[in-house]
Amino acid sequence: MQEPVKAIFTECIQTQIASADLLQEPVMAAAELLVDSLLRGQKIYCCGESMAHASARHFAHIMLTGLQFERPPFPVHALHADYGANEHEAIFSQQILAVGQPNDVLVVLSAGNRAPRVSRAMEAALSRDMLIIALTNDGDQDVAGLLGPDDVEIRIPSRNSARVTEHLLQLVNMLCSLAEQQIFPQEESY
């Protein structure tokens, strides 16, 4: 019984190593986009497809309340996923169309191959001249094709949705930590 457990740990570690090699530049670019937007007074919205929505909500929570130290809240809002909506796939896009402003940022997370609700939100953000940060994976078929030259993609080097979901949580924690360090450099960050 120990071999399957060891195999899962090994796969996690391998994905971590590949991520450390591949994702440094896009993570820094995403952090810089977040910081620039926050310092200009823009709002940040986030959502995720399926299980990735929990990581999007976590991101909004830590950006509001602080991750490493007490600080003023950042204006970050998790889009709600009300399954009672008339058109399920439009739930995020309707919210972006209602509140999104030019140069606001939409952070989208996807752990699977398909992301219809997130894709529609991205289309709405593009129509509002918003910027997009996309956390995707090697199996993505919907999200990356909607990104423009000023947007940032952080593509997790895995197709395994469990490994991708683990990394989404790590990446949103990292983005919040980097934003806090850059906006409040005088605070103790560790």
Side-chain angles (χ1 to χ4, degrees), residues 60-80:
H61 173 75
I62 61 176
M63 291 291 280
L64 282 169
T65 61
L67 181 64
Q68 296 183 333
F69 50 84
E70 191 173 326
R71 58 160 172 80
F74 296 146
V76 178
H77 309 279
L79 302 178
H80 70 83

Side-chain angles (χ1 to χ4, degrees), residues 101-183:
Q101 297 295 314
N103 296 311
D104 283 348
V105 177
L106 174 64
V107 178
V108 297
L109 291 77
S110 176
N113 296 340
R114 307 304 306 206
R117 295 184 312 157
V118 163
S119 297
R120 299 256 318 252
M122 292 173 70
E123 290 167 355
L126 292 170
S127 76
R128 295 284 193 214
D129 294 321
M130 295 171 63
L131 300 165
I132 300 171
I133 297 172
L135 284 71
T136 64
N137 63 85
D138 279 344
D140 172 65
Q141 297 177 23
D142 290 342
V143 175
L146 294 171
L147 296 170
D150 296 326
D151 299 326
V152 178
E153 180 185 21
I154 301 172
R155 182 177 284 264
I156 299 165
S158 178
R159 290 177 176 262
N160 181 319
S161 61
R163 301 297 78 79
V164 173
T165 301
E166 293 162 359
H167 279 71
L168 289 175
L169 183 59
Q170 181 182 32
L171 286 167
V172 297
N173 284 340
M174 223 182 273
L175 290 172
C176 181
S177 179
L178 290 167
E180 286 180 341
Q181 290 171 21
Q182 290 179 38
I183 294 174

Side-chain angles (χ1 to χ4, degrees), residues 80-91:
H80 70 83
D82 182 2
Y83 291 102
N86 290 337
E87 191 179 347
H88 175 68
E89 286 187 5
I91 188 61

Side-chain angles (χ1 to χ4, degrees), residues 19-41:
S19 295
D21 291 339
L22 296 171
L23 301 182
Q24 290 180 38
E25 286 183 36
V27 168
M28 287 307 298
E32 288 173 17
L33 178 57
L34 289 171
V35 169
D36 290 346
S37 298
L38 290 168
L39 292 176
R40 285 187 285 109

